[in-house]
Amino acid sequence: MTSEESADALVDGLVRSAFQIMGVLTRIGAEHDLSLTQLRVLGILRDQRPRMSDLAALLGLDKSTLSGLIGRAERRGLLTRSANPDDKRVVDVLITDAGRDLAGRLYQDVRNALAPATGRLDAQQRRQLAELLEPVLTPPLTLTPRPGVQD
């Protein structure tokens, strides 16, 4: 297999797995009245305290779209906004206890839904796949919003 063929096979595998996983995430999100983007926000905030601008870049959304999304999650008691402790002009987005609880339940739902696929691998293969994915996923791709495109 040539270098180009192996690159194509990798991209194909990543896209196919992304579609399969997005299907699972979309279904689980819908069961909790969450869009795929709202699910992503909860997943990001479970482990981080990003600035609104950083969160917008990670999601590929403009700030006004993100502000509406965060507002809806605030009304549900899942997220809150707070002044950044180091720079009062900056707004951080924080997950609430209710949001963290929901994120934990969602993670378990996703883990259970993916178990038939991940169960095809033994422990060493799962560890190896996780290690191989790390340099592909870290740092996350930063998306810039395209004019006129909204979630």
Side-chain angles (χ1 to χ4, degrees), residues 28-61:
I28 290 170
E31 290 170 0
H32 295 274
D33 196 28
L34 297 169
S35 70
L36 185 56
T37 303
Q38 290 168 321
L39 201 67
R40 290 175 63 201
V41 168
L42 285 175
I44 291 168
L45 295 178
R46 190 180 65 162
D47 303 318
Q48 301 176 39
R49 180 186 172 137
R51 298 173 175 201
M52 284 283 285
S53 57
D54 294 336
L55 187 56
L58 277 170
L59 297 168
L61 300 175

Side-chain angles (χ1 to χ4, degrees), residues 105-127:
R105 289 193 320 267
L106 292 166
Y107 180 82
Q108 193 58 50
D109 288 350
V110 170
R111 186 174 179 180
N112 292 340
L114 295 177
T118 59
R120 297 177 197 147
L121 304 173
D122 63 36
Q124 181 179 343
Q125 290 171 318
R126 286 192 299 270
R127 196 172 27 259

Side-chain angles (χ1 to χ4, degrees), residues 66-83:
L66 179 63
S67 185
L69 187 106
I70 299 302
R72 288 187 294 281
E74 280 181 309
R75 288 188 290 282
R76 288 182 64 177
L78 303 174
L79 305 177
T80 188
R81 292 177 236 213
S82 175

Side-chain angles (χ1 to χ4, degrees), residues 3 11-12 24 30 37 50 57 62 78-79 84 90 103 108 110 119 125 142:
S3 177
V11 168
D12 183 59
V24 167
T37 303
D62 62 50
L78 303 174
L79 305 177
N84 182 287
V90 173
Q108 193 58 50
V110 170
Q125 290 171 318
T142 301

